């Protein structure tokens, strides 16, 4: 076998949130593949890191009152820890916000520039005059141009499903400040992707992509590739474009370059490199990885990926994960309630090499873990081991009593290896579990518990349990990429070195094993309930929603100057005065105001105040209150009504 030199990456998660189960579909899938390659004796590097730049991270840091650098560092540490606790074995978990990445991004850009692939042009975009920044589409809200639903986002209406450009929204406003965005011009930098059309047509059709992706790309080629806007205006958290003072690289330019800067190994990135490069990604970022990224690499004289492995999205009990619906489960919350390997196993049992969404059904999850892992797999060891310990001082026989059965299990290893290699994980698991059934059936037939009762048949118990434990050992080898922690515990139990794939050829005989300790526990639906509950009751670390009200919200408030005509005590109320105010147009209102401790009613008569004229009337014990008088202060006696300057007259609207 020739030793392969492989680099595997997962997509770099944005540094503005803790990992959730959706991220784990990808990291677990890639970790299984990496561990399998390493077990084959290949040299397999595995890296990831935080994608640190962009407007959402800048805004998030601002909301949390921290610098973007402090935010991305703390999230990077959390991501690294959470993944490590799921036994994801990265060689390095880096960040795109590094000097090395800045230099490499600039170098790639400059090569493209020298080749004439960068153009500049002025474009018009929405600009928030209060925040003084250009607004990415996601920060623009407004009324749907089709159904007039309010508060819809920049590109599609959640009510009627219409899609549009943010410029088409009616009464648009910035979700950051509430301001009405203005259109403003600015010079942008574009990468001329069209120049790579021929290269990409060939590259995408020569074995680097899954069939479904190739079909999607054909559609894009038919529409014609378009230039890619790679610059963003200040303020922006990212890298300055060389030669400018206020233009930054769009986060998606320096993000994939992060793969290179995090894995600093030049031999891997040279155009003629014989090493292999694989990117595991979600289906939503295929465009970046199958078009922009190979074009950037190729144009800058680097190698291109060997393959891109795209997967679908995670759904939970059939629903898209959503924070607001309470179906989003963070990696850490899961770990607080359930073993990491159970999720690894469940995902493996459902993953394949196609781009399909993966659903966790928690009922099914519980059943599957209990039936497969505990009931079938671990059961083989827990049935056989105690006899070896009690009756034979831990010693296995020196001969294998069922060489034919062992040979079947051993031969299956090649098939299973091909499934791991081809990312047909669910098929690998299916084969392994059917072998586990077979091993249990063997024990059922041989009935060692009966044979152990009679002196003459006791020796055959050693033979049967030696066969059983050797079958178990093969299954453990095949499951090691999925269950690395259990594999360690099993190596200890078998009193052997860490299991390698080659070990399947040599059964463990004439060997003393350690006493069996329970390797896995059954789980209960209650643990799932507790996990879901913990996620729902947890307070969000930072408000996701803007705490601003929009200009539209504010415009709903009808504020007027009012003149106090009457003021008197309300004996039954501790805090209230009853006021009659003139709000103009010869209208008067009765308002109960909580200013009793601060004012002698007599001093209020004739004064002007500001009232909310369109507050819904509220029935109180002493009458109906038809508005609210604005007052400010900590409360009690320290509260002051807001009084307009001379010249204001009752009925004037507050502008
Ligand atoms: O979609 C995302 O979550 C991006 N942060 C992935 C970046 S992958 C690579 F390009 F860095
Ligand atoms: Zn609509």
């Amino acid at each position: 076998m020739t030793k392969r030199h492989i680099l595997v990456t997962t997509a770099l998660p944005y540094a503005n949130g803790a990992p959730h189960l959706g991220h784990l579909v990808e990291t677990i899938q890639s970790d299984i593949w990496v561990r399998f390659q390493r077990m084959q004796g290949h040299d397999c590097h595995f890296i990831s890191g935080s994608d640190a730049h962009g407007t959402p991270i800048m805004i998030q840091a601002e909301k949390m009152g921290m610098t973007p650098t402090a935010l991305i560092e703390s999230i990077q540490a959390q991501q690294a820890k959470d993944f490590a606790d799921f036994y994801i074995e990265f060689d390095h978990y880096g960040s795109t916000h590094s000097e090395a990445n800045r230099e490499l991004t600039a170098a790639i850009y400059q090569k493209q520039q020298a080749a004439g692939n960068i153009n500049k042009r002025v474009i018009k975009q929405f600009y928030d005059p209060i925040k003084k920044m250009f607004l990415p589409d996601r920060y623009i809200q407004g009324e749907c141009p089709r159904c007039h639903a309010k508060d819809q986002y920049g590109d599609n209406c959640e009510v009627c499903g219409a899609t549009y450009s943010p410029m088409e929204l009616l009464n648009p406003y910035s979700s950051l400040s509430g301001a009405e965005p203005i259109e403003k011009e600015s010079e942008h930098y574009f990468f001329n992707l069209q120049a790579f059309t021929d290269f990409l047509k060939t590259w995408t059709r020569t074995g680097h992509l899954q069939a479904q992706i190739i079909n999607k790309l054909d559609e894009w080629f038919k529409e014609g590739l378009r230039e890619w806007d790679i610059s963003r205006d200040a303020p922006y958290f990212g890298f300055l474009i060389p030669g400018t003072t206020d233009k930054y690289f769009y986060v998606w330019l320096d993000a994939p370059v992060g793969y290179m800067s995090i894995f600093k190994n030049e031999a891997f990135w040279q155009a003629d490199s014989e090493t292999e490069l694989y990117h595991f990604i979600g289906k939503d970022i295929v465009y970046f990885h199958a078009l922009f990224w190979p074009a950037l690499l190729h144009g800058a004289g680097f190698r291109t990926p060997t393959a891109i492995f795209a997967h679908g999205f995670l759904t939970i009990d059939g629903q898209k994960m959503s924070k607001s619906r309470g179906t989003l489960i963070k990696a850490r919350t899961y770990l607080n309630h359930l073993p990491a390997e159970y999720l690894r196993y469940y995902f493996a049992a459902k993953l394949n090499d196609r781009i399909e969404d993966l659903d966790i059904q928690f009922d099914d999850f519980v059943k599957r873990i209990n039936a497969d892992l505990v009931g079938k797999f671990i059961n083989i060891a827990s049935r056989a081991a105690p006899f070896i310990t009690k009756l034979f001082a831990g010693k296995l026989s020196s001969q294998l009593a069922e060489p034919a059965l062992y040979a079947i299990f051993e031969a299956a290893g090649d098939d299973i290896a091909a499934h791991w290699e081809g990312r047909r994980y669910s098929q690998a698991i299916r084969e392994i579990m059917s072998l586990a059934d077979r091993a249990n059936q063997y024990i059922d037939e041989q009935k060692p518990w009966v044979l152990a009762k009679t002196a003459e048949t006791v020796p055959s118990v050693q033979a049967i349990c030696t066969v059983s434990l050797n079958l178990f050992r093969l299954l453990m080898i095949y499951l090691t990429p999925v269950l690395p922690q259990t594999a360690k515990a099993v190596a200890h139990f078998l009193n052997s070195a860490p299991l390698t794939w080659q070990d399947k050829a040599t059964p463990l005989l004439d060997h003393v094993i350690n006493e069996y300790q329970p390797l896995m526990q059954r789980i209960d639906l209650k643990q799932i309930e507790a996990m879901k509950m913990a996620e729902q009751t947890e307070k969000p670390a930072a408000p996701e929603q803007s705490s601003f009200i929009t200009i539209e919200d504010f415009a709903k408030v009808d504020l007027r100057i009012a003149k106090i005509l009457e003021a008197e005590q309300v004996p039954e109320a501790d805090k209230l005065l009853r006021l009659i105010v003139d709000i103009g147009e010869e209208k008067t209102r009765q308002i109960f105001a909580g200013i009793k401790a601060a004012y002698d009613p007599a001093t209020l008569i004739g004064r002007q105040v500001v009232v909310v004229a369109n507050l819904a009337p509220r029935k109180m014990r002493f009458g109906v209150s038809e508005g609210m008088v604005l007052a400010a202060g900590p409360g009690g006696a320290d509260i002051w009504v807001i009084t307009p300057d001379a010249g204001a007259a009752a009925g004037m609207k507050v502008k």
Side-chain angles (χ1 to χ4, degrees):
M1 182 200 75
T2 44
K3 189 169 180 156
R4 292 160 61 188
H5 299 275
I6 306 171
L7 171 61
V8 173
T9 74
T10 73
L12 312 180
Y14 285 118
N16 60 353
H20 51 66
L21 300 192
H23 292 109
L24 286 163
V25 171
E26 183 169 303
T27 44
I28 288 176
Q29 185 186 25
S30 43
D31 186 69
I32 290 172
W33 203 73
V34 166
R35 286 178 183 271
F36 170 73
Q37 300 300 347
R38 288 175 178 166
M39 274 184 96
Q40 301 299 304
H42 299 309
D43 168 38
C44 187
H45 306 268
F46 186 28
I47 58 115
S48 191
S50 301
D51 189 352
H53 294 148
T55 307
I57 289 173
M58 180 176 81
I59 300 286
Q60 172 94 352
E62 187 184 305
K63 272 189 202 157
M64 294 175 75
M66 51 202 311
T67 62
T69 322
L71 172 65
I72 62 172
E73 281 172 5
S74 86
I75 299 281
Q76 182 190 0
Q78 184 181 10
Q79 290 171 339
K81 173 90 174 72
D82 288 357
F83 290 139
D85 289 349
F86 272 93
Y87 309 119
I88 312 293
E89 210 171 34
F90 291 125
D91 294 306
H92 186 46
Y93 194 84
S95 161
T96 57
H97 190 63
S98 71
E99 204 39 49
N101 202 42
R102 182 198 305 274
E103 284 167 16
L104 205 48
T105 304
I108 288 176
Y109 165 79
Q110 279 159 342
K111 280 196 192 154
Q112 296 287 2
Q113 200 180 30
N117 293 328
I118 306 289
N119 304 318
K120 285 190 265 182
R121 162 161 84 70
V122 170
I123 60 165
K124 256 191 205 164
Q125 269 187 308
F126 269 146
Y127 180 86
D128 182 329
I130 292 183
K131 293 289 284 183
K132 300 207 182 336
M133 61 182 275
F134 284 95
L135 289 170
D137 293 0
R138 71 161 83 185
Y139 296 110
I140 300 164
Q141 284 178 272
E143 201 176 308
C144 167
R146 189 160 92 186
C147 77
H148 296 272
K150 292 236 164 52
D151 305 323
Q152 296 307 306
Y153 280 93
D155 53 2
N156 73 84
C157 173
E158 285 197 331
V159 179
C160 76
T163 58
Y164 37 74
S165 102
M167 299 262 173
E168 295 172 69
L169 280 175
L170 306 175
N171 303 316
Y173 62 90
S174 156
S175 65
L176 297 176
S177 70
E180 183 181 337
I182 54 174
E183 280 184 36
K184 198 171 154 159
E185 292 192 330
S186 140
E187 185 172 60
H188 274 238
Y189 290 60
F190 292 85
F191 173 56
N192 191 5
L193 187 66
Q194 307 92 294
F196 294 87
T197 304
D198 289 341
F199 162 74
L200 287 171
K201 275 189 176 162
T202 309
W203 187 83
T204 54
R205 288 168 193 168
T206 40
H208 309 289
L209 304 170
Q210 291 138 294
Q212 283 162 285
I213 296 189
I214 298 176
N215 295 341
K216 188 76 212 162
L217 289 175
D218 279 343
E219 284 172 35
W220 287 332
F221 284 127
K222 267 192 210 116
E223 287 168 20
L225 298 180
R226 267 177 264 160
E227 57 180 0
W228 181 33
D229 186 348
I230 56 164
S231 70
R232 293 296 181 267
D233 289 275
Y236 194 75
F237 183 56
F239 294 143
L240 263 184
I241 299 183
T244 75
T245 53
D246 58 352
K247 305 281 175 195
Y248 290 82
F249 285 121
Y250 175 40
V251 55
W252 263 108
L253 188 79
D254 68 71
V257 179
Y259 296 142
M260 300 177 84
S261 61
I262 291 169
F263 183 68
K264 297 180 198 91
N265 183 326
E266 299 200 350
F268 262 82
W269 296 101
Q270 277 160 19
D272 57 356
S273 177
E274 284 179 3
T275 59
E276 299 168 46
L277 169 63
Y278 301 98
H279 298 304
F280 282 81
I281 60 163
K283 64 181 179 183
D284 53 329
I285 56 178
V286 162
Y287 204 96
F288 295 103
H289 284 82
L291 296 177
F292 294 135
W293 181 226
L296 276 180
L297 286 168
H298 180 70
F302 291 111
R303 63 92 47 80
T304 48
T306 310
I308 286 163
F309 298 146
H311 58 80
F313 293 150
L314 177 70
T315 54
I316 295 193
D317 291 326
Q319 297 275 315
K320 215 173 131 182
M321 277 207 297
S322 132
K323 201 165 190 170
S324 52
R325 275 199 298 269
T327 49
L328 188 138
I329 295 170
K330 288 196 287 299
R332 184 53 53 188
T333 313
Y334 174 96
L335 287 171
N336 289 341
H337 293 88
L338 292 157
E341 284 187 326
Y342 290 4
L343 191 69
R344 293 178 65 104
Y345 179 79
Y346 190 73
F347 282 169
K350 303 201 101 182
L351 278 164
N352 59 42
D353 60 344
R354 296 185 301 276
I355 307 169
E356 286 167 6
D357 290 351
L358 187 162
D359 190 41
I360 303 191
Q361 285 185 313
F362 278 114
D363 287 358
D364 177 54
F365 175 88
V366 170
K367 277 191 215 136
R368 190 130 197 184
I369 296 303
N370 291 341
D372 287 9
L373 285 183
V374 186
K376 291 183 185 176
F377 170 55
I378 294 297
N379 200 30
I380 305 166
S382 69
R383 293 173 89 184
F387 292 115
I388 296 288
T389 304
K390 276 186 227 138
L391 303 177
F392 310 101
K395 188 142 191 193
L396 299 174
S397 331
S398 53
Q399 294 278 317
L400 202 55
E402 299 280 350
L405 183 60
Y406 188 87
I408 292 171
F409 274 57
E410 195 205 334
D414 294 340
D415 242 17
I416 292 164
H419 289 322
W420 288 138
E421 174 73 41
R423 302 182 332 285
R424 297 179 300 274
Y425 297 177
S426 59
Q427 289 187 53
I429 294 290
R430 210 174 310 133
E431 289 209 21
I432 294 167
M433 282 306 136
S434 92
L435 293 173
D437 283 337
R438 189 111 185 226
N440 278 300
Q441 195 189 337
Y442 169 74
I443 300 174
D444 292 345
E445 286 162 5
Q446 300 297 320
K447 302 192 177 25
W449 60 93
V450 175
L451 302 174
K453 285 181 188 147
T454 323
E456 308 89 78
T457 50
V458 162
S460 61
V461 173
Q462 189 182 23
I464 293 161
C465 293
T466 297
V467 169
S468 305
L469 288 175
N470 270 287
L471 299 181
F472 172 74
R473 177 170 168 268
L474 291 190
L475 300 183
M476 186 70 259
I477 292 173
Y478 304 156
L479 282 171
T480 295
V482 182
L483 308 173
Q485 198 58 20
T486 300
K488 269 191 200 160
V490 167
H492 173 78
F493 153 60
L494 295 176
N495 191 23
S496 69
L499 297 166
T500 70
W501 205 267
Q502 283 71 33
D503 287 341
K504 75 188 176 78
T506 42
L508 208 54
L509 297 168
D510 202 16
H511 171 91
V512 176
I513 60 168
N514 287 315
E515 193 178 336
Y516 176 81
Q517 305 289 338
L519 289 163
M520 282 185 180
Q521 310 290 337
R522 295 175 71 83
I523 45 171
D524 192 285
L525 211 47
K526 282 194 192 113
Q527 286 161 271
I528 306 287
E529 295 308 325
M531 172 181 74
K532 287 184 175 172
M533 188 57 82
E535 192 66 77
Q536 277 162 27
T537 50
E538 188 192 312
K539 287 218 176 69
E544 263 223 312
Q545 281 295 310
S546 153
S547 52
F548 294 107
I549 62 162
T550 66
I551 194 88
E552 292 206 320
D553 295 334
F554 182 71
K556 289 182 194 151
V557 185
D558 181 5
L559 291 174
R560 305 245 195 119
I561 307 291
K563 186 171 173 190
I564 299 178
L565 304 178
E566 293 173 27
E568 61 178 36
Q569 304 280 0
V570 183
E572 314 93 291
D574 299 342
K575 295 183 182 147
L576 300 177
L577 295 182
R578 189 180 80 95
L579 309 176
I580 299 292
V581 301
D582 168 7
I583 58 159
E585 299 158 8
E586 295 175 355
K587 283 190 206 138
T588 61
R589 293 275 180 89
Q590 166 171 275
I591 296 177
F592 291 94
I595 52 175
K596 181 172 181 165
Y599 290 96
D600 171 359
T603 64
L604 285 172
I605 295 172
R607 271 178 80 162
Q608 288 187 326
V609 289
V610 181
V611 301
V612 179
N614 61 341
L615 191 69
R618 190 156 153 239
K619 199 160 180 287
M620 303 176 105
R621 267 191 297 146
F622 0 87
V624 177
S625 185
E626 305 164 304
M628 179 189 281
V629 172
L630 296 192
D638 290 332
I639 190 140
W640 293 272
V641 293
I642 297 168
T643 310
D645 288 339
M652 283 182 171
K653 266 184 171 290
V654 176
K655 291 279 180 191

